Structure formats: C-alpha cells, structure tokens
Amino acid sequence: MGRKGKKQPQPKVTWAQAFRDIVIAAMNRGQLLLLMVVAVVIIPVWKMTPEESSRLVFDVLENLKNGSILGYILFVSTVLGWFFHARAMRRIYSNEYRRIGKEKSAIQSKAAGAKFKSSDR
C-alpha cells in the first residue's frame, strides 16, 4: 500500500518540455511529417487577426462552392484512404505470418519430439 504522509510535489512541465515530448512521440510513431504539416497550417492561422481569419474562412468556403479546391480535397482523401488501407493490410499480413509461424513451430516440435522455445518476445 502507499505511504501515508506528505505527497511529493509533481514537477511542473513547461511548454518546451511538452513540445519536446510531442515531437519525440511523433518521431517514434512515424508521424513527424504530419505534425510538421499541421504546424505549418495551424501556426499562421493562429497568428492572424480575427478579421483576417474570418476572411480566410469565407474565401475557403467560396473556393469550395466554385470547385477550385476540389482537387486538393480529393488528393487528401486519396492519401488518407491509402494510409488506412496500408495499415489494415499490414495488420492482416502480420496476423497471417504470426499464424503461419505458430503452425510451423508446432509441426517442427512434433517432428523433433521436443518443445522448442519461441523467439517471439
């Protein structure tokens, strides 16, 4: 059980430490490029005045109406579709390879008459 008494004060996390942790996590998961693209889009919008940002929203809506940014939307949706499809295929193939490995190990153990340790972690 826990100790009774004074609680240890939690160290304060600064914005720089939080940003560093976010960048490191994005690097580990292969999402650094996505993080950079989001930052390049979000930071300029954040720095705009309210009048400029409302004008930007109306310009984007007008371009959506006349179809001039339809190609960008289709491109982004195609890339997202590819990403999710590739991820699903990797998961399916990994499961199949794992199943084949277990089946092969069982057959080898049966043929040798001995139980072998698995190399899986």
Side-chain angles (χ1 to χ4, degrees):
M1 297 212 205
R3 284 195 249 168
K4 305 253 179 189
K6 292 184 180 180
K7 289 185 177 179
Q8 295 289 333
Q10 294 291 327
K12 297 198 185 231
V13 178
T14 66
W15 69 268
Q17 292 168 330
F19 180 75
R20 178 202 63 204
D21 293 344
I22 290 169
V23 170
I24 289 171
M27 290 168 79
N28 288 338
R29 293 188 171 97
Q31 298 173 338
L32 185 61
L33 182 62
L34 178 63
L35 180 67
M36 291 171 55
V37 168
V38 168
V40 165
V41 170
I42 296 292
I43 290 175
V45 172
W46 189 353
K47 295 293 184 179
M48 287 181 173
T49 64
E51 295 81 23
E52 290 174 329
S53 59
S54 67
R55 191 175 77 229
L56 175 68
V57 169
F58 287 121
D59 287 344
V60 168
L61 290 175
E62 181 62 33
N63 288 333
L64 277 172
K65 285 181 188 174
N66 66 24
S68 62
I69 60 173
L70 181 63
Y72 294 110
I73 293 170
L74 291 174
F75 172 72
V76 168
S77 61
T78 301
V79 169
L80 286 174
W82 169 81
F83 172 77
F84 289 115
H85 179 261
R87 188 169 73 172
M89 290 294 104
R90 279 193 303 270
R91 189 176 309 120
I92 288 169
Y93 285 127
S94 292
N95 290 339
E96 181 65 11
Y97 286 136
R98 195 172 297 118
R99 183 193 67 80
I100 291 170
K102 286 179 183 178
E103 191 173 314
K104 179 186 67 108
S105 295
I107 292 170
Q108 285 176 338
S109 293
K110 184 178 176 183
K115 180 78 172 153
F116 297 113
K117 286 189 350 181
S118 175
S119 62
D120 289 339
R121 293 180 193 185

